[in-house]
Each structure stands twice: as structure tokens, then as C-alpha cells.
Amino acid sequence: MPETYRPRRSCLAVPGSSPKMIDKARGLAVDQVFLDLEDACAPLEKPGARKNITTAFTEGGWEGKTRVVRVNDLSTQWAYRDVIEVVEGAGADLDCIMLPKVQTAAHVVWLDVLLTQIEAATGLESGRIGIEAQIEDARGLQNVDAIAEASPRLETIIFGPADFMASTNMRGFVVGDQPLGYDIGDAFHYPLARILMAARANGLQAIDGPYVQIRDKAGFRKVAGRSAALGYDGKWVLHPGQVDAANAVFSPRQEDYDHAENILDAYAWSTSEAGGARGAVMLGDEMIDEASRKMALVIAGQGRVAGMTRQDVWQRPEAGA
């Protein structure tokens, strides 16, 4: 389980080959930025993109954002150079490496070992750079439990819907939305739930992939709301127009945040000696107990990460009340 919890409600994908788009990303209100060396870069652009990314991270201006690079997958000729050049050049200013198309635990172990070697050779703090593993095909999904256990560097498991749709022969071209003709439920429920269980069993975050119809804000909110309701921590955004929706969908409502904090305060008081050392107590018309506390911790934690401020604060009862 990672020692550092990083907010990832909105994870912005930025082509590493575009200095203009990289510079614009600095000013966007996203939790995470990942500069992409994989699908967003044509083969001939990849060497230059590594230099762009190294320069961008060492120059700074990313305050409040998790800084990530997505390298190429292990089946390609570029992966090892991606990791070596970016980490040697900007490792002190980098939070995580995202590894796409992870199919087995061995892929994650490879990246862990390579990072450890680079850290030792360059004097970087050992183990500080995290790993994000992207599940994008049937084999990766089948092995997701072992993948989630593969390294203490792991922080997130990410669902990649586009390649997943291709690997399973799903019909349709709207990445992240339902395939053509599927009208009996949610075609993505199984992979989303499968990834979520593996992530939570190992103390990791679960992140949903992109929705490519960037002008369809209602569609984005719909699919983001689906994964948020399931328990996901955040979602990729491909355009500035998706950022506010992602941050809102993956943050609790104000009334839910206030209620969660009030449950925690009321339960802490009721279980204390001063509060009567009671294991269950009424909060308004609701009975709360240890299970209530655990559920409230989730919502309160999400609200705190989002920087929310309480508007309704529980008050201790008067003595003798």
C-alpha cells in the first residue's frame, strides 16, 4: 500500500510532443497531469517528446498537481529509453510512471527494478517514484490481482477502455460508452468492478479511463458518475472542458460531506468516556455505529482531499442532555 495518497479526481492527458499543450496544462485545475509518450506521440516524435517532458518538469510550475509520465508499453522498442531518459533527467520532479498495457505482474516488476537501478545510480530517493498500472486487455484483467500485488510502488490501477474494447471485440467507436446494441445493462461493469476489487484489496486507487467525445459534457458526466458511484477515485480528462465535471463528480456533495464529518464527530464523542462510552447513538433520526464511522471516513476523506469546508458542524449535547 502506498504511503502517499495523491488526489486523482481529474487526470489530464497531455501529448509529450506538444510544448504548447504542456504549458497550458500548468494552469488547469486538475489533480494530476500525465505527459504522454505512448498513444499521443507518433513514433518519430517520441525521442523529442522525452526532452520536452524532462524540460517541462524540471522547469516547475506544477504546484498542487501529481506529475506523471506515461511511457510506452513493454512490447515496444521505446519503453526502456523512455524510463531511463525521463527519470535520469527529471526524477526529482516526477511523482509516478504510468505503464500502459500491463498484462502480467512481471511487467510491473520490470519497471520497479529499473526505477530502483536508476535511483541508485543517480542518487534519487529509493522507492519514491510511484507506479500506475493500466489494464487494457483481457489478459491484463485476468491477471489484475497479481498485478495489484506486484510492487510497493504501485499507487493506482487504471482502466483503459479503448484497447479493452478492441481486445474483447466490443462493437462501437465511442470510447468509454456502451457498445452498439448492448441494451441490457452496463457492458463495462465487470472490468470496472474487477479492477476496483483488486485495487481496494491492496490499498490502491482505481481510476477510470477517457471519454473521447470531448464536446459531449452530459455524456462525460454520465459515464464519470457511473464509475464514481461504483467507488472509483477519478477519471481521465482529455480536454479542459471535462475538468470541472470530473472534479465535481468525484467530490462528495456538500450535504454529504457535512453529514460524514458530523457522523465522525458524534461517534467519537459517544464512544468516549465523557460521551458515555456508547457503541451506538442517535444522530438526529439516524442510528450510527462503527459501520457508520467507516462509511463516513470515505466521504469525509474525499471532501478533505477536494479542499471542502464544512457548512454544518455537529455540536456536543449539553451536560445531562
Side-chain angles (χ1 to χ4, degrees), residues 108-119 131 151 153:
V108 176
V109 172
W110 171 87
L111 180 55
D112 188 330
V113 170
L114 183 55
L115 286 172
T116 301
Q117 291 173 333
I118 297 170
E119 289 165 344
I131 294 174
S151 167
R153 293 182 188 265

Side-chain angles (χ1 to χ4, degrees), residues 244-272:
D244 288 345
N247 287 341
V249 168
F250 290 94
S251 298
R253 299 180 305 169
Q254 183 67 49
E255 57 265 37
D256 292 336
Y257 172 65
D258 289 343
H259 186 54
E261 294 284 15
N262 288 341
I263 287 175
L264 295 177
D265 287 351
Y267 188 69
W269 168 253
S270 72
T271 55
S272 70

Side-chain angles (χ1 to χ4, degrees), residues 53-60 62 89-91 93:
I53 289 170
T54 299
T55 299
F57 280 142
T58 55
E59 285 180 347
W62 305 98
D93 302 295

